[in-house]
Amino acid sequence: ACPDEKDTEVFKRIKMIVVSVLFASGIPFFHEGQEIGHSKNGKSNTYNTGDKDNGFDYQLLAERKDLYHFFIEAIALKKKFISIMKDNYLDLPSHMSFVNLANGALRIDYEASDSVISFVYNPTNDSIMCDFEDYVRLVFNDTGSVEDSEFFIRLAIIPSKTVSVFLKKKAGTLSSWKENEK
């Protein structure tokens, strides 16, 4: 889709798309090798072209371990969020909101029982600013999990071609997110 981009830019897009698919409603589906940017050599239909196009490339995995580790951390984050999200997908519109940001970037806020989870997607070529009404904690970004930090902000700079995930505990909730995981 972006043939003129360098691999580093393509890898940023892969990470953003992994989070998009993983945190969409329903059961996420990934093709083998998608998490490390495996390609089918430009072919759209490879059902009968053999292992060269369809086999898992372990050499590519060795070269792109950072993408693989990002994928593993994104799955771990999804598992943590499942425990605090509501179970009924039919109710999603009642506790989700979308905020259009500069240049086509998007913030999706998901209101859980004791917190608000915000996903900020910036598919643009420029960094954007995202202003929150209250302090939020950065828990995940293009480097993977940063949930051990106590980094609270109200104004976030989201680099180009990345997604950042923020968590805000609702007022009056006594337990922390980490305590909910235990």
Side-chain angles (χ1 to χ4, degrees):
C2 303
D4 297 332
E5 283 190 338
K6 296 179 181 177
D7 284 349
T8 55
E9 299 299 304
V10 172
F11 297 160
K12 287 181 180 183
R13 289 188 190 278
I14 289 169
K15 289 178 177 182
M16 190 171 45
I17 291 167
V18 160
V19 172
S20 298
V21 170
L22 193 59
F23 286 93
S25 298
I27 299 170
F29 180 79
F30 292 93
H31 293 278
E32 181 182 44
Q34 182 177 348
E35 71 279 13
I36 59 169
H38 183 257
S39 159
K40 302 244 183 190
N41 301 314
K43 298 174 185 167
S44 61
N45 189 355
T46 63
Y47 79 96
N48 65 353
T49 61
D51 288 344
K52 181 180 180 206
D53 296 320
N54 295 311
F56 189 83
D57 187 343
Y58 289 95
Q59 179 60 38
L60 193 62
L61 173 63
E63 295 168 9
R64 299 179 179 173
K65 283 186 179 179
D66 60 324
L67 287 175
Y68 172 75
H69 290 294
F70 178 88
F71 186 72
I72 297 300
E73 289 182 14
I75 290 172
L77 185 68
K78 170 76 175 200
K79 288 179 180 179
K80 291 174 185 172
F81 279 174
I82 285 173
S83 69
I84 61 174
M85 290 180 170
K86 299 179 193 285
D87 294 332
N88 191 347
Y89 286 114
L90 297 176
D91 290 339
L92 280 175
S94 68
H95 49 266
M96 285 183 75
S97 60
F98 299 86
V99 179
N100 291 318
L101 302 173
N103 301 326
L106 178 67
R107 184 175 99 199
I108 302 172
D109 294 331
Y110 184 93
E111 189 169 335
S113 58
D114 65 347
S115 56
V116 176
I117 305 158
S118 298
F119 297 84
V120 182
Y121 294 92
N122 180 10
T124 72
N125 290 322
D126 300 309
S127 294
I128 57 127
M129 305 272 279
C130 182
D131 192 6
F132 293 93
E133 294 174 14
D134 202 355
Y135 283 95
V136 294
R137 183 166 62 101
L138 177 66
V139 294
F140 195 85
N141 65 13
D142 60 320
T143 64
S145 178
V146 290
E147 65 185 272
D148 289 335
S149 77
E150 293 298 320
F151 187 59
F152 291 87
I153 57 173
R154 286 192 59 191
L155 183 62
I157 298 172
I158 312 299
S160 71
K161 301 176 190 116
T162 63
V163 60
S164 295
V165 182
F166 300 90
L167 180 70
K168 176 188 170 258
K169 297 301 284 180
K170 289 183 180 177
T173 57
L174 299 175
S175 64
S176 74
W177 181 42
K178 289 182 183 180
E179 290 170 355
N180 288 338
E181 298 170 9
K182 296 177 183 174

